[in-house]
Amino acid sequence: MSVRTACPYCGVGCGVRAAPDGRALAVMGDAEHPANLGRLCSKGTALAKTVGLEGRLLHPMIGTRRVAWNEAIQRVAGRFAETIARHGPDSVAFYVSGQLLTEDYYAANKLMKGFIGSGNIDTNSRLCMASAVIAHKLAFGADLVPGCYEDLDLADLVVFSGHNAAWTHPVLYRRMEVARTRGQRHMVIDPRRTDTAEAADLHLALAPQSDVRLWNGLLADLIRRGAVDRGYVAAHVAGFADVEAELAQADQSPAAVAADCGVPLADLETFFRLFAETPRTVSLFSMGANQSAQGVAKGSAILNVHLATGRIGKPGACPFSITGQPNAMGGRETGGMATTLAGHMDFDDAGRARVQRFWGSPTIAPAAGLKAIDMFDAVADGRVKAIWIMATNPAVSLPNASRIRAALAACPFVVASDCMAETDTLSFAHVKLPALAWGEKDGTVTNSERRISRQRRLFDPPGEARADWKIIADVAAAMGYGDGFGWRNPAQVFREWARLTAYENAGRVLNLGPMATITPEAYEALEPVQWPVTAAGGTARLFTDGRYQTPDGRARMVPVAARGPAEATSGAFPLSLNTGRVRDHWHTMTRTALAPELCRHTPEPYVEMHPADAEPLGIGEGALTRVQTARGEAVALARLTDRQRPGSVFMPMHWTEAFAPSGRANPLVGPQVDPRSGQPEFKHTPARVRAYRETWRGFFLARGAWTAPSGLDLVWRRIPQAGCQLHEFAGRGDARERSAVQKALTRKAGDVLRYEDPAAGSLREAWIDGDRLDRVIFFTTVGALPPREWLADLFEADALTAADRMALLMGRPSGRAVDASPIVCACRGVRAGRIETAVAAGCATVDAVGEATGAGTSCGSCRPEIARLIAKGEVRHAA
Ligand SMILES: Nc1nc2c(c(=O)[nH]1)N[C@H]1C(S)=C(S)[C@@H](COP(=O)(O)OP(=O)(O)OC[C@H]3O[C@@H](n4cnc5c(=O)[nH]c(N)nc54)[C@H](O)[C@@H]3O)O[C@H]1N2
Ligand SMILES: Nc1nc2c(c(=O)[nH]1)N[C@H]1C(S)=C(S)[C@@H](COP(=O)(O)OP(=O)(O)OC[C@H]3O[C@@H](n4cnc5c(=O)[nH]c(N)nc54)[C@H](O)[C@@H]3O)O[C@H]1N2
Ligand code: SF4
Ligand SMILES: [Mo]
């Protein structure tokens, strides 16, 4: 029997049909879920591979000691109460996450703001959505996302601003690919030529952080052309004249705008013209807009254009801030952010009094609390003395990460709730609380289009893990607040939350009215529904009547001036370091790295750069490269490509201490934030790169995960495989370093096949346990290393054959050459080499390649990449 639930990854919020069998699982897309209509991307498809109990935190821990729940709860409640008694409510903080369920979020916010009495609860959405939230509030009077996914089907033009949808919201992107077959056009604004950009009708590879100039230039152009909807503005919008006056402060000629944004004039003019001519336009904006010291201004500039043209609240026309995490929206609703109360109420007297009245709570936070970056500054300087981190991994994901680690190391009391036993953040926790993971917990999430869906339980709770809301309620009770936290199940939490949205609601759009009396049965059976919810059901589109949640009902256009990046590049740091996501990994890899197939597309950290920047530095394709900023250094493989703007480099954000200690991006990222939203400028830090110049390289395969031998300065990366863990390493030392590594990794006794050439600094060792391979070491100072895949495959064999042993001794696989080109299709395991062969053999469409190789026929996430390989093949053919 299959259960209908929701995917725990991105903000698309796909419905999943899951059939559990013990701890095993079969998943498929839920054809009845309106977000995905049956589709899933590579991450959703691989969900079954990530629900094992390997690596889970299953019992509460104090230090390294396993303790009973009661003791852990008493310790957390006691230390928080004591700290509050001695230093006041603002000496404690919660740092929470868009991966909590709405019920969890609601409970955490209630405890901090209503009972502890501090505003110090903030969420990782500060790193993600905060700029869009402020831009929405300024324009619409509340944090309201006007559009819905259907608008993406109906639009004739979709503009992607700093949004690599093909990789980050793949199922929505697939929906838009379908719309393209009837003529929808795509324009991408992104300094990088991403897969989304590559496939688009037009790509503006703008200079980093020049978006405000671009969107202001567009608005000026629309005004010049008479493409503004004067009637809409007159009836529904305020502030047009102020914005017009602001625009007049700069030269808005297309030539000047094109020059400042670093894009060809002709392309800019095409963009302006198409935008002017296409009423049904949706402007998607994501991290390239939000994660900026001008994140709010970028959002406002986009909203201004849509308000001025009346392209909002209409089918196929809206500005659309897309959410990242599965419940980023739920956190914004329930007050997960330090700057708002629950239910879109603010810290004004009326809002505070109302929420306190509803809760019947002893107190209410007097003012907004610390935003994430400020919160960790306060941890660093001792103002915050106890912090509880839930469902997020700040030691990896916050900017200037080395400073964050130092702050956590110095904090007198760190509590972390997580489902995994080891994360970079948990290593700083004094108390570790085991949380239920996806598939075990029950509750609701809200996706990008305001749609509330149920996540449903598939498995029995493992070990002693508990739901996050329950852990919070237990701590609240131990602090003496039992009355406010006596829920027995998530349905009760949800009902209270829904009641709050409706409480004394005279005009708040966020209203779940009829759900305030939801029965446990109705909660169990809840169908996906978009808020606001009325007696008639959900609401797809907001502002259809042109009325906004402002006192006069008008939207506000907000004048914004273009500025450069917060920190300018310089002679010492001449490059702009941009960071972001890869297709198959989720954030800090605690879950996606459990599925080897998700590790194949991008096996290890890389730095993407333009060949023109790499060449003078002597950096070739695939070379280990040091990326340095004023804050730190990382080492990653160079990927040279003209998809990158000269002067800009890109690193993925995902790698951690556990997978690539020297490949972490965030120790490099500067601490600059948007002054209003507090969102960090993750997309730009001045940087330089240098060749790493290793003297030797090697790899090590073993059944379990290994960390680098201690005391050595190695570049170490771990890449999970189906039957083993592959560790790649390189060093700059001499023979002594090599022999130290050999000593640390080889077994002391057993059956070994060894080949050694000390003169060439090469070594091959294969250790065999009975008939099975136990570990393999290869290193060399000069020659090439063989492909790893055939070795990894040998770990899956029940017994080694004589031919296998011979191959191990020879250091290369026997028989035909192996294809070591990168995996393109993660679902079907198809490599670039096979696709290129198919293209050369005449496959000219993605579907034809699919028929020949299977690639792209499952989830479709790799279709843009296949299209790119076809285009490359055509170029080669023409040449
Ligand atoms: N595979 C995968 N998907 C995910 C996630 C994941 O970890 N993995 N995480 C989810 C989450 S939480 C989020 S927030 C979303 C994020 O989804 P996206 O926003 O699509 O992802 P990013 O790769 O962070 O950044 C998007 C683009 O912004 C561009 N950019 C950089 N600087 C600028 C600039 O100055 N202007 C403009 N216009 N663009 C710029 C970058 O080059 C990058 O291509 O993805 C969600 N989906
Ligand atoms: N350089 C750079 N850094 C970035 C970004 C970027 O673009 N560039 N993007 C930023 C953005 S947009 C985001 S959203 C953040 C994301 O960054 P994080 O939130 O730090 O990343 P995750 O790996 O998703 O962390 C989730 C943690 O919660 C645990 N977990 C999963 N489910 C549950 C649960 O149900 N309960 C509990 N208690 N724990 C659970 C996981 O094991 C994991 O440890 O990263 C930000 N950092
Ligand atoms: S697009 Fe992929 S990651 Fe996002 S919700 Fe759907 S299946 Fe999950
Ligand atoms: Mo995010």
Side-chain angles (χ1 to χ4, degrees):
M1 226 229 3
S2 78
V3 178
R4 293 175 67 202
T5 181
C7 174
Y9 295 119
C10 84
V12 176
C14 295
V16 172
R17 267 187 187 278
D21 176 10
R23 229 14 242 201
L25 192 63
V27 300
M28 56 192 277
D30 180 356
E32 286 162 50
H33 196 289
N36 57 317
L37 309 168
R39 296 189 182 105
L40 291 178
C41 78
S42 51
K43 296 180 295 301
T45 303
L47 269 170
K49 306 288 171 52
T50 63
V51 293
L53 294 180
E54 177 199 346
R56 285 288 300 277
L57 177 66
L58 293 175
H59 306 281
M61 311 273 290
I62 297 181
T64 52
R65 190 165 57 89
R66 179 176 157 182
V67 299
W69 263 113
N70 189 39
E71 185 178 348
I73 296 289
Q74 291 301 334
R75 175 67 62 93
V76 175
R79 282 297 294 264
F80 267 75
E82 192 183 300
T83 308
I84 294 162
R86 289 181 54 190
H87 305 283
D90 290 336
S91 65
V92 302
F94 294 168
Y95 182 55
V96 301
S97 161
Q99 291 164 79
L100 291 173
L101 303 177
T102 295
E103 293 75 4
D104 307 326
Y105 248 133
Y106 178 80
N109 177 60
K110 183 177 181 183
L111 175 56
M112 183 53 83
K113 293 199 182 119
F115 289 76
I116 291 175
S118 168
N120 284 350
I121 171 170
D122 207 36
T123 148
N124 62 357
S125 289
R126 185 67 59 194
L127 316 179
C128 185
M129 306 311 304
S131 300
V133 168
I134 304 285
H136 287 154
K137 284 178 94 162
L138 291 171
F140 310 143
D143 177 21
L144 299 169
V145 173
C148 58
Y149 294 165
E150 195 200 351
D151 291 328
L152 294 165
D153 304 331
L154 299 175
D156 295 321
L157 172 65
V158 179
V159 183
F160 301 78
S161 265
H163 184 200
N164 184 13
W167 282 13
T168 57
H169 296 99
V171 166
L172 267 192
Y173 186 76
R174 299 273 293 129
R175 266 176 92 153
M176 291 182 273
E177 279 187 323
V178 173
R180 290 186 85 183
T181 60
R182 59 137 190 97
Q184 180 180 84
R185 284 199 259 201
H186 287 184
M187 300 212 172
V188 174
I189 301 171
D190 192 313
R192 297 192 299 149
R193 200 164 79 241
T194 58
D195 272 9
T196 314
E198 184 94 34
D201 300 283
L202 182 72
H203 171 212
L204 295 176
L206 83 176
Q209 306 307 321
S210 60
D211 304 62
V212 176
R213 184 82 172 108
L214 185 77
W215 284 89
N216 276 355
L218 170 63
L219 181 54
D221 186 76
L222 293 166
I223 295 172
R224 271 196 305 269
R225 282 174 201 267
V228 164
D229 186 339
R230 297 279 170 186
Y232 190 85
V233 171
H236 304 298
V237 181
F240 184 85
D242 298 341
V243 170
E244 207 169 19
E246 173 65 47
L247 295 179
Q249 302 295 310
D251 178 356
Q252 302 291 356
S253 66
V257 175
D260 286 352
C261 296
V263 298
L265 175 60
D267 288 351
L268 187 80
E269 284 178 326
T270 306
F271 172 51
F272 285 180
R273 183 173 45 75
L274 259 169
F275 199 101
E277 287 170 356
T278 318
R280 286 195 166 194
T281 299
V282 174
S283 298
L284 285 161
F285 58 110
S286 187
M287 295 309 116
N290 295 346
Q291 289 175 336
S292 162
Q294 316 159 59
V296 176
K298 288 187 186 185
S300 292
I302 295 169
L303 301 185
N304 284 345
V305 167
H306 277 265
L307 288 171
T309 49
R311 293 180 190 170
I312 183 165
K314 297 174 183 158
C318 62
F320 203 151
S321 153
I322 198 93
T323 55
Q325 299 175 93
N327 202 27
M329 187 74 88
R332 287 149 65 177
E333 296 159 9
T334 52
M337 302 190 97
T339 36
T340 57
L341 293 176
H344 284 184
M345 284 175 270
D346 285 315
F347 280 98
D348 49 57
D349 291 345
R352 290 178 51 244
R354 187 180 307 118
V355 175
Q356 184 175 7
R357 194 158 52 242
F358 177 80
W359 280 337
S361 62
T363 175
I364 186 81
L370 295 166
K371 305 187 193 93
I373 305 297
D374 302 333
M375 184 183 280
F376 281 85
D377 279 347
V379 172
D381 66 25
R383 276 173 293 147
V384 166
K385 296 174 171 54
I387 187 166
W388 185 356
I389 298 164
M390 306 177 203
T392 177
N393 196 356
V396 182
S397 56
L398 279 173
N400 207 3
S402 305
R403 199 176 128 78
I404 300 301
R405 284 167 195 249
L408 286 172
C411 185
F413 193 57
V414 178
V415 182
S417 308
D418 208 289
C419 19
M420 302 311 288
E422 287 177 25
T423 72
D424 288 18
T425 298
L426 280 172
S427 64
F428 297 97
H430 301 102
V431 181
K432 299 174 198 164
L433 303 175
L436 292 179
W438 180 82
E440 297 154 7
K441 54 188 190 177
D442 248 321
T444 54
V445 291
T446 313
N447 74 359
S448 289
E449 58 166 355
R450 290 172 279 101
R451 190 181 295 280
I452 301 167
S453 294
R454 279 294 314 274
Q455 269 194 25
R456 292 187 173 90
R457 171 185 288 193
L458 310 169
F459 307 113
D460 290 336
E464 296 181 274
R466 285 187 186 171
D468 285 288
W469 67 264
K470 175 69 175 143
I471 303 175
I472 296 159
D474 289 346
V475 169
M479 291 177 81
Y481 308 134
D483 287 353
F485 296 83
W487 312 295
R488 282 187 308 280
N489 53 50
Q492 293 182 342
V493 188
F494 184 85
R495 197 160 57 226
E496 179 179 319
W497 153 238
R499 254 194 320 118
L500 172 59
T501 64
Y503 185 65
E504 297 177 10
N505 188 340
R508 300 194 309 274
V509 174
L510 170 53
N511 192 339
L512 309 183
M515 300 172 100
T517 51
I518 193 165
T519 62
E521 296 73 33
Y523 180 79
E524 205 34 62
L526 185 69
E527 286 293 321
V529 61
Q530 282 171 288
W531 64 255
V533 183
T534 64
T539 312
R541 232 166 254 114
L542 301 183
F543 315 134
T544 47
D545 58 357
R547 280 197 63 78
Y548 295 84
Q549 197 184 313
T550 51
D552 61 4
R554 284 169 173 273
R556 302 273 184 280
M557 285 173 68
V558 180
V560 284
R563 284 191 289 110
E567 213 178 338
T569 52
S570 64
F573 297 108
L575 302 168
S576 167
L577 170 66
N578 172 13
T579 62
R581 288 158 175 78
V582 304
R583 193 189 75 194
D584 291 347
H585 271 308
W586 179 259
H587 297 161
T588 71
M589 295 169 51
T590 61
R591 287 173 289 163
T592 43
L594 298 171
E597 47 271 73
L598 295 181
C599 300
R600 291 189 195 141
H601 186 247
T602 317
E604 58 170 295
Y606 64 87
V607 51
E608 207 172 65
M609 58 193 299
H610 194 277
D613 288 326
E615 201 177 305
L617 298 163
I619 294 170
E621 171 67 24
L624 282 174
T625 304
R626 300 158 68 192
V627 186
Q628 302 167 322
T629 70
R631 307 210 163 59
E633 172 171 312
V635 183
L637 292 185
R639 277 199 190 168
L640 307 189
T641 167
D642 68 355
R643 286 154 60 94
Q644 197 63 42
R645 266 179 81 89
S648 292
V649 298
F650 175 84
M651 276 187 80
M653 62 169 287
H654 307 285
W655 275 270
T656 66
E657 193 72 39
F659 291 98
S662 42
R664 293 178 289 128
N666 283 13
L668 307 179
V669 175
Q672 272 68 27
V673 297
D674 181 291
R676 283 176 294 182
S677 69
Q679 184 155 354
E681 188 147 275
F682 278 122
K683 300 293 190 240
H684 168 85
T685 306
R688 64 174 170 237
V689 300
R690 298 283 182 266
Y692 176 73
R693 299 197 200 291
E694 69 273 28
T695 51
W696 66 290
R697 287 180 294 128
F699 62 81
F700 172 59
L701 294 131
R703 297 209 175 261
W706 285 61
T707 52
S710 61
L712 298 172
D713 178 25
L714 296 178
V715 179
W716 183 269
R717 296 90 77 199
R718 172 158 72 84
I719 305 161
Q721 312 284 317
C724 64
Q725 299 282 322
L726 165 62
H727 310 79
E728 298 276 342
F729 52 87
R732 290 184 289 191
D734 53 15
R736 262 178 318 198
E737 186 177 69
R738 294 198 300 276
S739 65
V741 169
Q742 183 187 359
K743 230 170 94 191
L745 303 181
T746 52
R747 278 177 29 170
K748 301 294 168 266
D751 195 3
V752 60
L753 299 169
R754 179 181 293 127
Y755 168 85
E756 199 166 358
D757 179 355
S762 9
L763 172 84
R764 294 200 291 274
E765 272 184 7
W767 291 82
I768 295 160
D769 209 351
D771 280 337
R772 300 183 76 198
L773 194 53
D774 178 66
R775 62 183 71 179
V776 175
I777 309 167
F778 271 68
F779 58 67
T780 179
T781 54
V782 280
L785 294 163
R788 306 2 172 202
E789 282 75 4
W790 64 282
L791 289 166
D793 287 348
L794 293 183
F795 279 82
E796 290 181 78
D798 288 335
L800 294 175
T801 63
D804 292 337
R805 285 171 189 258
M806 182 57 84
L808 283 167
L809 199 58
M810 302 294 291
R812 59 186 147 75
S814 51
R816 64 188 176 84
V818 281
D819 180 358
S821 63
I823 292 268
V824 172
C825 174
C827 302
R828 300 265 186 264
V830 185
R831 293 177 184 280
R834 244 181 93 202
I835 295 170
E836 278 160 355
T837 308
V839 172
C843 295
T845 63
V846 175
D847 290 332
V849 169
E851 227 161 89
T853 67
T857 55
S858 175
C859 78
S861 295
C862 61
R863 291 173 64 91
E865 197 166 336
I866 298 171
R868 182 147 50 84
L869 291 171
I870 294 171
K872 220 167 88 186
E874 279 163 2
V875 170
R876 206 173 293 144
H877 198 70

